[in-house]
């Protein structure tokens, strides 16, 4: 699944900085994942998130939190 997500992000020029998933965290049978990216345009990020959300392997709402340095 991470490979598919990374491919989608890469298609929009979005580069992952870090990925965090607690092995013991399980909510409704789903393990939440936090992906921090390098700086990218809002448009590219929204396009990537829309494609990830529409994918068959995402079962919950994707949440986007912009971080300003």
């Amino acid at each position: 699944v991470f490979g598919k997500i990374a491919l989608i992000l890469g298609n929009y020029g979005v580069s992952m900085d870090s990925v965090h998933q607690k092995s013991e965290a399980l909510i409704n049978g789903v393990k939440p994942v936090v992906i921090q990216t390098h700086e990218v345009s809002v448009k590219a990020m929204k396009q990537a998130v829309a494609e990830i959300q529409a994918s068959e392997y995402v079962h919950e709402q994707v949440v986007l939190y912009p971080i300003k340095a």
Side-chain angles (χ1 to χ4, degrees):
V1 173
F2 283 126
K4 293 175 183 178
I5 291 172
L7 183 63
I8 292 170
L9 291 171
N11 288 340
Y12 293 96
V14 179
S15 172
M16 288 190 288
D17 182 40
S18 65
V19 177
H20 183 74
Q21 180 182 42
K22 289 186 175 183
S23 60
E24 69 277 359
L26 194 62
I27 301 171
N28 298 327
V30 176
K31 288 190 177 188
V33 177
V34 176
I35 300 173
Q36 184 173 344
T37 67
H38 292 100
E39 189 172 338
V40 65
S41 74
V42 172
K43 179 181 177 182
M45 194 69 221
K46 285 185 176 182
Q47 289 173 319
V49 166
E51 187 171 335
I52 292 167
Q53 183 68 62
S55 68
E56 64 191 55
Y57 41 86
V58 174
H59 304 287
E60 297 291 332
Q61 180 66 38
V62 175
V63 179
L64 180 61
Y65 292 108
I67 301 171
K68 302 251 181 191

